[in-house]
Amino acid sequence: MGKPPKKKNLADKVRKTKTSAQIKNNPFEVKINRKKFDVLGRKSKHDVGLPGVSRSKAINKRKETLLKEFRLKNKANKLIDRRFGEYDTKMAPEDKILKRFTLERQRTQARKDLYNLNEDEELTHYGQSLAEIEKLTDAVDSESDSEEKGLLSAELTAAHFGGGGLLRKKPSEDDDDGKEGREKPKTRQELIEELILKSKQEKRERQAQKEEAQELTEKLDQEWRSIQRLMAHKASRAEGSEEPLQPKLDDYDVMVRELGFEMKAQPSEKLKTAEELAREERERLQRLEADRQKRMLGDVGETTQAPSHLSADDLNDGFILDKDDRKTLSYQDGKWNVQEGEDEEGVKDSHEDDAEGDDEKDDDEEDEEEEEGVEGLSDLDSEQGSGADDEEEDGGEEDGAEQTPAKDEVVSQEERKVMQEAARAELPYTFKAPESYTDLKAMLQGHTSEQQCLIVERTQKCHHPSLAVGNKTKLQKLFGFLLEYVGELATQSPPELTTINALIPQIYSLCQLFPDATCKEMQTLLSDNAHSMEETIEVKGRAAFPGLDMLVYLKIVALLFPTSDFRHPVTTPAFLYISQALTKCPVVSLEGTLSGLLLCCLAVEFVSLSRRFIPELINFLLGLLHLAVPSDPCGRVLGYRVVPPFRQQGKARELLLVRDPEASYSWRKKPLPLTLTNILTELQRDHYRLSVLHTCLDLVKRCTALYRELPSYQQIFQPIRTLLAKHLPVEGYPTPLQDLPESPSQHAPLVFEKKKPIPLKLLEPKIVEVLDYGKKRGSTKEEKERERLKHKYKREFKGALREIRKDTRFLAQTKLSDIMSRDAERKRKVKELYGSLATQEGEWKALKRKTQK
């Protein structure tokens, strides 16, 4: 099938347009809404038009209002002409000008002649009076104006900016020149050169005048100073003893002067890093060691300098007076005589030479005092280790050598020997890091506990990790050597606990420097001792209590690491070790009771913050108290049960039972000895037993206070309360031991009385009859008005939302149409460019073919 002819399509289009025009002009489809009268503030609904006309009207209205605002958005370059009659098209231009002139004259006349009734009107031109202009009284600028700085002369201004009018001679002048002489007229270049020369000459003259005025001013100032001094001197002599009355200062003036004399804030020094502090400390120790070596060799050049004199009011803050400007005060002929300096004028010529000689002597004395002060400060710096530079110390030594050249001769040979012996007796200030435990032991042996602590401290400072690469490894080894050395001190007889206590701070500082290394070292130590105890238990079935060295290690663990953590790589193994020792080590002697009590004290210290319950601790304290209970031959039930490592009956059944009742009267509270070498008699053993019981009861009190808040508190301490109340012979004990732990009250704890809760306030419901169609009956007039306003508000709100949506849609369509029109214009231009380029390319190819042919 072929396509229909084009004529038929055109006919159909014409027919369709005719029918659409007929539909638009159909009078039966016109909508007419009659409006009887206009009401102010009410929307008009009486529009006339065909269907769809209202929509087109709304679009046209938006185009006239919203579209214009959108086009003019962010455009403020608007000029409004407010002149009279500017927008009135019916007025002629001459009428507008005349009316404007009349209004301007009325405005100025009304302001000027508001109260003047007899003065005639004054005509003006551009704000100037015509009468003044006709007088021609404008004064011509004088030539003196050109002399001012920054102004140009009239001739120079006219020559450069006036078009060269002055360079041309007037006709009258030309006539005179022609008549009088035959001089040739000057060219423009010559006239400009003359102007330049004249301006330079004026400039030189002004400069000369200025210099002359300055010289005269300085001369006048000098003469006035000399006259003023004479006048002031004469006035002071004439007045004599008469003192001028000075006004009394106000409180505010006094406060201002006091604030002016107050010390100003001084800038503080920059905070130094740990590396800088370590470097300065090492340098200080090296300087002190070098000084000690010099004194050992007999070099006393610096140490024998006499210290400068210090007064009782000296603050020792390093302050030195640059110049002593104090004046000598004396009393002569009934008046005060004050010596004046060489700068004082009015002194007689006969005394000038003497004053100059005195001033020279004073200057020499001041220089000597300054040198002595510097020497004294350098000595202080070297003694206190303030970290002064070597150059300053060398300077101080040179000054001291210049001042006291005979000091070395004064020092005798005996004093030199005494000083050498004292230097040899001093501790060295620098030490090498020990490479083995033997080196550390050799370095520390033969010294007191304070000296050993000082040696370890100086070793740490000389080998700080930030000073060299290998210092970190050296100090980590030093921590292990110190632990081994502390263990050896604890195993000695008697143990050197004072030295151990002095070395603890150094061990703590090393732990802070290397926490990981110290943690591994303590873990290894605890694991080795725990394995050795397990092996002994497997072989013998029981193990001895750990020695004093292991107890010291456990104490160090409590000092170095946190014991309140739920799980810790060091303290958790220490907990397990203490629990294992309290469970597996039986008490067979008095030494075992001491070790057990030490373990109990460590356990209480471990759980003092976390309040963690350790059942082994309570069982061990119960077993120790059971050893003080006398055995019953009848075998009656005790009311409590002991657990291993204690037994109900055995060899150590009455180990803590006091044999002699008289021992209670002679017992005094003393700390428990760590060894029983001095306990020989039975009385001393009874005293030892009483001390063990006293410590055990004290631990029970601490445990009751520690675990009082546990829910099973009654069941935990029930066996201990039964033993203390029924079986322990407290009557024969001293008074401090009779103070037993208080048993908890059997009464229920106090609580607030339970009250019935107060119910909320209830109101009777308001019943409103609701009929059909959702209308409420029986409401008041105010409620009806409220409902009507609510309904009107909702309707207006919905209408506003609808209009906003339509406006937004209209703006979006406008923006889209603008973008599409810009894109279409761009495409059209691109097509034109491509077409023109194709045409040029075709013409070029055709031309190329022709040239080739």
Side-chain angles (χ1 to χ4, degrees):
M1 296 296 290
K3 294 182 180 180
K6 295 182 179 180
K7 293 182 180 180
K8 190 175 180 180
N9 291 337
L10 294 172
D12 292 340
K13 289 182 179 180
V14 171
R15 193 179 299 110
K16 287 181 181 179
T17 54
K18 287 182 180 180
T19 54
S20 62
Q22 291 174 2
I23 291 172
K24 288 182 180 179
N25 297 328
N26 190 358
F28 294 99
E29 293 185 356
V30 176
K31 181 181 178 182
I32 299 174
N33 294 325
R34 297 188 181 277
K35 183 172 60 173
K36 295 181 180 180
F37 50 85
D38 293 333
V39 179
L40 185 65
R42 181 180 295 177
K43 290 183 179 181
S44 177
K45 300 180 181 179
H46 305 282
D47 294 331
V48 180
L50 295 171
V53 174
S54 60
R55 184 173 180 274
S56 62
K57 284 185 178 180
I59 293 174
N60 293 332
K61 190 175 180 181
R62 285 190 177 90
K63 287 181 180 179
E64 294 176 358
T65 57
L66 187 62
L67 185 60
K68 287 184 178 180
E69 292 180 1
F70 176 72
R71 298 297 184 195
L72 296 175
K73 186 179 180 182
N74 298 327
K75 295 179 181 178
N77 51 351
K78 190 174 183 181
L79 182 62
I80 300 175
D81 194 352
R82 300 185 182 276
R83 292 180 295 175
F84 178 81
E86 182 64 26
Y87 300 103
D88 193 355
T89 57
K90 296 179 181 180
M91 292 182 66
E94 292 81 5
D95 298 340
K96 292 180 182 179
I97 294 172
L98 183 59
K99 186 65 175 176
R100 291 171 185 171
F101 180 73
T102 305
L103 292 174
E104 182 67 23
R105 293 295 301 277
Q106 289 177 357
R107 191 181 301 112
T108 57
Q109 192 68 21
R111 286 200 306 267
K112 185 176 180 181
D113 300 334
L114 184 61
Y115 302 104
N116 192 359
L117 303 178
N118 300 322
E119 189 174 358
D120 298 333
E121 294 183 358
E122 183 180 3
L123 299 177
T124 59
H125 177 66
Y126 286 101
Q128 296 180 1
S129 177
L130 294 177
E132 297 294 333
I133 293 173
E134 290 175 355
K135 292 180 181 179
L136 300 176
T137 57
D138 294 340
V140 181
D141 295 337
S142 62
E143 295 181 356
S144 61
D145 295 339
S146 63
E147 297 178 359
E148 297 179 2
K149 186 177 181 181
L151 299 178
L152 299 176
S153 62
E155 296 178 359
L156 186 62
T157 304
H160 285 282
F161 307 107
L166 292 176
L167 298 178
R168 303 188 186 92
K169 293 185 177 181
K170 296 179 182 179
S172 61
E173 295 177 358
D174 294 340
D175 297 340
D176 296 338
D177 293 340
K179 292 178 181 179
E180 293 177 0
R182 300 175 183 178
E183 294 180 0
K184 186 179 179 179
K186 296 181 181 180
T187 61
R188 180 182 179 84
Q189 185 67 24
E190 292 175 353
L191 292 173
I192 290 174
E193 290 178 356
E194 287 182 1
L195 289 174
I196 293 172
L197 291 174
K198 186 182 294 185
S199 63
K200 288 184 178 179
Q201 184 179 0
E202 291 177 355
K203 186 176 180 180
R204 284 195 295 270
E205 290 177 358
R206 289 195 301 269
Q207 186 68 20
Q209 291 177 1
K210 186 177 179 180
E211 291 178 355
E212 185 179 358
Q214 188 174 2
E215 290 177 359
L216 291 174
T217 304
E218 292 178 356
K219 184 178 180 181
L220 183 62
D221 291 342
Q222 292 178 359
E223 292 177 356
W224 168 248
R225 287 196 190 96
S226 61
I227 296 172
Q228 187 180 13
R229 289 174 182 173
L230 293 174
M231 292 172 64
H233 191 64
K234 290 179 180 179
S236 61
R237 289 183 177 179
E239 290 176 2
S241 60
E242 295 181 359
E243 296 181 357
L245 296 176
Q246 296 181 355
K248 187 176 181 181
L249 294 177
D250 193 6
D251 295 340
Y252 176 78
D253 297 335
V254 173
M255 186 179 296
V256 168
R257 293 192 179 185
E258 289 179 356
L259 292 175
F261 286 108
E262 282 187 356
M263 183 179 292
K264 304 298 186 297
Q266 299 295 331
S268 60
E269 295 182 358
K270 182 187 73 171
L271 293 178
K272 298 179 181 179
T273 60
E275 291 78 5
E276 294 175 351
L277 294 174
R279 191 179 298 106
E280 290 182 359
E281 187 65 21
R282 184 184 64 174
E283 292 174 357
R284 184 183 72 86
L285 293 175
Q286 289 176 354
R287 282 197 305 273
L288 293 175
E289 179 63 20
D291 184 24
R292 191 182 73 89
Q293 294 291 340
K294 288 181 181 179
R295 287 187 278 112
M296 287 173 60
L297 297 175
D299 186 4
V300 293
E302 182 180 358
T303 57
T304 56
Q305 293 179 3
S308 59
H309 174 69
L310 296 178
S311 65
D313 298 332
D314 192 0
L315 298 178
N316 196 15
D317 55 355
F319 178 74
I320 304 174
L321 285 173
D322 295 336
K323 185 178 180 182
D324 191 3
D325 54 355
R326 293 175 294 180
K327 299 178 181 180
T328 305
L329 183 64
S330 62
Y331 191 78
Q332 183 178 3
D333 298 332
K335 295 182 180 179
W336 292 108
N337 184 17
V338 181
Q339 292 184 3
E340 299 177 352
E342 61 182 0
D343 294 336
E344 183 73 13
E345 294 187 7
V347 183
K348 294 182 180 181
D349 296 334
S350 60
H351 298 286
E352 288 182 355
D353 298 335
D354 299 338
E356 290 178 357
D358 295 337
D359 291 337
E360 291 177 358
K361 292 178 181 179
D362 294 339
D363 294 338
D364 296 338
E365 292 175 0
E366 287 169 2
D367 294 338
E368 292 177 0
E369 289 176 1
E370 288 178 2
E371 290 175 358
E372 290 178 2
V374 172
E375 289 174 7
L377 287 175
S378 64
D379 293 339
L380 284 174
D381 291 340
S382 65
E383 291 175 3
Q384 298 177 0
S386 60
D389 296 332
D390 296 336
E391 297 177 1
E392 296 177 0
E393 291 180 3
D394 295 339
E397 291 175 1
E398 292 173 4
D399 295 340
E402 292 176 1
Q403 264 190 352
T404 56
K407 280 186 177 180
D408 293 336
E409 300 176 1
V410 176
V411 179
S412 62
Q413 192 69 19
E414 295 180 358
E415 292 178 356
R416 190 185 301 273
K417 289 182 179 180
V418 171
M419 189 173 295
Q420 290 178 357
E421 293 298 331
R424 291 191 184 95
E426 290 182 6
L427 278 177
Y429 291 95
T430 57
F431 294 91
K432 292 183 179 180
E435 297 293 336
S436 62
Y437 174 68
T438 308
D439 297 341
L440 178 66
K441 191 174 180 180
M443 187 168 60
L444 297 180
Q445 275 185 348
H447 299 285
T448 62
S449 59
E450 292 80 6
Q451 290 178 347
Q452 292 183 20
C453 179
L454 191 60
I455 290 171
V456 176
E457 181 181 359
R458 290 178 179 176
T459 305
Q460 292 184 37
K461 291 179 179 178
C462 293
H463 300 85
H464 195 271
S466 62
L467 301 177
V469 179
N471 288 347
K472 182 177 179 181
T473 307
K474 294 178 181 179
L475 292 183
Q476 289 177 357
K477 291 181 180 179
L478 179 62
F479 180 80
F481 299 155
L482 283 176
L483 286 181
E484 189 174 356
Y485 183 69
V486 166
E488 183 177 350
L489 292 178
T491 54
Q492 291 180 2
S493 180
E496 298 183 8
L497 298 180
T498 306
T499 306
I500 295 174
N501 192 23
L503 293 175
I504 291 296
Q506 308 306 322
I507 296 175
Y508 180 80
S509 62
L510 290 173
C511 180
Q512 296 297 315
L513 283 176
F514 315 108
D516 296 336
T518 54
C519 181
K520 292 179 181 179
E521 190 74 25
M522 296 304 298
Q523 282 178 343
T524 305
L525 188 63
L526 291 172
S527 61
D528 292 344
N529 283 274
H531 287 317
S532 62
M533 182 182 290
E534 290 176 358
E535 291 176 357
T536 306
I537 292 172
E538 289 178 0
V539 175
K540 298 182 179 180
R542 59 185 181 127
F545 278 98
L548 187 59
D549 54 347
M550 190 59 197
L551 297 176
V552 171
Y553 290 149
L554 292 174
K555 179 64 178 178
I556 292 174
V557 168
L559 294 174
L560 299 184
F561 302 101
T563 57
S564 60
D565 292 353
F566 181 75
R567 186 178 288 108
H568 192 270
V570 178
T571 54
T572 301
F575 267 121
L576 297 176
Y577 183 83
I578 292 173
S579 301
Q580 187 180 16
L582 292 177
T583 308
K584 301 295 183 180
C585 300
V587 179
V588 295
S589 62
L590 293 178
E591 290 84 352
T593 58
L594 176 62
S595 300
L597 285 176
L598 289 176
L599 287 174
C600 292
C601 292
L602 288 172
V604 171
E605 184 179 356
F606 271 55
V607 299
S608 59
L609 292 177
S610 61
R611 297 178 181 273
R612 186 178 302 174
F613 177 64
I614 304 179
E616 294 84 0
L617 173 62
I618 306 300
N619 293 331
F620 193 87
L621 292 176
L622 177 63
L624 283 180
L625 292 175
H626 175 70
L627 297 180
V629 175
S631 59
D632 190 2
C634 300
R636 289 180 297 179
V637 179
L638 298 176
Y640 61 89
R641 180 172 173 271
V642 294
V643 295
F646 297 96
R647 297 180 181 179
Q648 203 78 15
Q649 299 292 334
K651 295 181 179 179
R653 173 65 181 80
E654 297 179 351
L655 183 63
L656 297 179
L657 184 63
V658 179
R659 312 296 182 184
D660 188 5
E662 298 295 332
S664 301
Y665 300 102
S666 60
W667 176 81
R668 296 292 180 270
K669 182 181 177 181
K670 292 185 296 184
L672 285 170
L674 297 177
T675 57
L676 299 180
T677 54
N678 297 328
I679 300 177
L680 302 175
T681 61
E682 189 64 27
L683 182 61
Q684 292 177 348
R685 288 180 176 274
D686 286 341
H687 287 171
Y688 185 82
R689 293 186 182 99
L690 291 173
S691 299
V692 169
L693 288 175
H694 181 268
T695 306
C696 186
L697 291 174
D698 186 41
L699 286 173
V700 170
K701 292 178 182 179
R702 293 172 63 183
C703 290
T704 54
L706 197 63
Y707 300 130
R708 188 178 296 275
E709 297 179 1
L710 292 178
S712 57
Y713 170 74
Q714 300 286 348
Q715 292 80 7
I716 291 172
F717 290 95
Q718 182 62 36
I720 295 179
R721 286 200 299 270
T722 304
L723 186 147
L724 295 176
K726 298 181 180 181
H727 303 286
L728 190 66
V730 186
E731 295 80 6
Y733 291 163
T735 305
L737 273 70
Q738 294 180 4
D739 186 13
L740 299 178
E742 296 180 359
S743 59
S745 177
Q746 301 295 331
H747 301 286
L750 294 176
V751 294
F752 288 104
E753 183 181 359
K754 293 183 179 180
K755 297 181 180 179
K756 186 177 181 180
I758 301 174
L760 297 175
K761 190 175 183 181
L762 300 177
L763 301 175
E764 295 181 1
K766 184 179 181 181
I767 300 172
V768 179
E769 184 181 1
V770 179
L771 301 178
D772 296 337
Y773 311 111
K775 295 183 179 180
K776 296 181 180 180
R777 306 295 182 183
S779 56
T780 60
K781 184 178 180 180
E782 290 79 5
E783 292 179 353
K784 289 180 181 180
E785 183 68 19
R786 182 183 179 84
E787 293 296 330
R788 187 182 67 81
L789 292 176
K790 278 186 179 181
H791 177 68
K792 189 175 181 180
Y793 166 73
K794 289 181 181 178
R795 184 180 61 191
E796 294 294 334
F797 184 75
K798 290 179 181 179
L801 285 179
R802 186 165 54 250
E803 292 298 324
I804 290 172
R805 292 192 187 102
K806 290 180 180 179
D807 293 344
T808 307
R809 195 181 303 115
F810 173 75
L811 290 176
Q813 292 175 358
T814 304
K815 292 178 182 178
L816 181 61
S817 63
D818 292 344
I819 293 171
M820 292 178 68
S821 63
R822 288 198 299 269
D823 293 345
E825 183 67 20
R826 182 176 176 277
K827 289 180 180 178
R828 185 185 63 77
K829 291 182 179 180
V830 170
K831 284 183 180 180
E832 288 180 358
L833 290 173
Y834 275 116
S836 63
L837 290 174
T839 304
Q840 292 178 8
E841 185 179 4
E843 292 176 355
W844 182 76
K845 287 182 179 179
L847 182 61
K848 189 177 181 181
R849 286 194 213 98
K850 288 180 181 180
T851 54
Q852 289 177 356
K853 290 179 180 181

